[in-house]
Amino acid sequence: MLLTHVNSQVNLSALAKMVSNAGLQRMMFADDFKKQAKHLKQLLRKNGIQVEKKSYVSELIDISYDHLLTHYRHEYLYKVALLNSYVFHNHCLSDTILLNEFRIGNSKADTIIVNGANKVFEIKTELDSPERLCTQIDDYYKGFSEVYIVIHHSEIGKYLNCIDEHVGIMVFSKDNTIELCKAAQVYNEKLDIVAMIKALRKDEYLQLVYKMAGEIPKATPVQLFKACINMLSKYPVLEVHAEFLKIIKQRINLCTNDLIQKSELPAALRLSCYYYNLDQNDYISLVDKLSYQI
């Protein structure tokens, strides 16, 4: 593999779009897989990497991932490191759910982990700025007890004055792993029942109401959501929060958890497969595609 220095922001950004949650799912699970894989190979060449005439798709993904780790550390790489070096080593997946781009309040949390604890991870790469961070953190505390910012190890000083004492810090290390820098403090003062209900799907918030009240309010479809809020507002927020977390944990997919840890999957692909809810049929097809030469 030869590397020439033609890394423009345009070419790197285009490669990063393919090595992302949506990009990898589009390539590996859509009907035009060969076209997408060929496009990935072309993007590698545009970024100055002379790949072999015939390369396995798994190799193209690995090469792309390594290239971006050196030249363009975008958000997906942080999320991959969070899964591979933090979640796998510190949590049992059978009791843990990861949520991607989870809306709470007026913000979308990059990653949420719910198991015995409940944590939000807001990623700020070297390509980002601290703008909106305070607002985002305020929103996250409406549904979750611990908030972390995940930043590059060289940018700790840039963010220290942007967070309060409750917020934890994790860093993307020189070894491309996620390491704990400062533990978050549990903070429940801003939990908000309305924000929690709005974060759930309809069947989930109806389940939450039923678990708390033993019944679903009788209301027209237009008034049902408001009636649910009125009913839940009668209960202590910490009790509603506990049921809110239990309902989120019902999204755990044990089959997917097992499949994404198989050695056949490239490190960069595991997270995308997790969010795709990979099943056994998907996995068999995926392994076949990864061994395809293009």
Side-chain angles (χ1 to χ4, degrees), residues 85-259:
S85 67
Y86 174 72
V87 176
F88 281 163
H89 292 168
N90 294 281
H91 298 290
C92 175
L93 271 190
S94 63
D95 188 48
T96 299
I97 181 76
L98 275 78
L99 299 173
N100 184 43
E101 301 295 328
F102 188 83
R103 179 169 288 284
I104 186 80
N106 293 317
S107 301
K108 277 187 182 178
D110 290 321
T111 300
I112 286 173
I113 292 177
V114 177
N115 42 33
N118 60 100
K119 304 176 181 179
V120 177
F121 298 86
E122 175 57 32
I123 295 169
K124 294 295 183 189
T125 74
E126 299 141 279
L127 307 170
D128 297 323
S129 78
E131 190 180 356
R132 290 196 66 246
L133 182 58
C134 290
T135 304
Q136 290 172 309
I137 289 173
D138 277 349
D139 277 335
Y140 302 154
Y141 278 127
K142 293 176 181 175
F144 300 94
S145 303
E146 296 179 54
V147 175
Y148 284 86
I149 59 168
V150 186
I151 56 179
H152 193 259
H153 65 87
S154 64
E155 298 198 318
I156 295 175
K158 177 178 173 183
Y159 285 92
L160 272 180
N161 293 329
C162 302
I163 58 175
D164 65 30
E165 70 274 16
H166 307 106
V167 179
I169 301 174
M170 304 189 87
V171 294
F172 192 94
S173 74
K174 292 178 181 175
D175 299 325
N176 301 322
T177 61
I178 298 296
E179 296 178 355
L180 178 64
C181 178
K182 171 182 172 289
Q185 299 173 22
V186 172
Y187 184 67
N188 291 324
E189 299 303 313
K190 294 184 180 177
L191 288 175
D192 184 305
I193 290 174
V194 175
M196 285 187 265
I197 296 175
K198 285 184 174 178
L200 295 174
R201 302 161 180 157
K202 182 179 179 181
D203 63 314
E204 291 176 326
Y205 74 68
L206 291 178
Q207 188 181 353
L208 173 60
V209 171
Y210 187 80
K211 290 223 172 182
M212 294 298 300
E215 62 177 337
I216 303 296
K218 292 181 174 57
T220 64
V222 175
Q223 294 296 321
L224 181 60
F225 183 75
K226 187 176 180 181
C228 288
I229 290 175
N230 291 337
M231 187 170 275
L232 284 180
S233 297
K234 299 172 183 173
Y235 294 87
V237 68
L238 285 177
E239 290 183 19
V240 176
H241 185 236
E243 287 299 331
F244 167 74
L245 297 176
K246 286 179 188 174
I247 287 170
I248 287 179
K249 281 185 68 177
Q250 291 176 6
R251 299 186 191 182
I252 292 174
N253 186 325
L254 295 177
C255 176
T256 297
N257 290 348
D258 179 50
L259 292 171

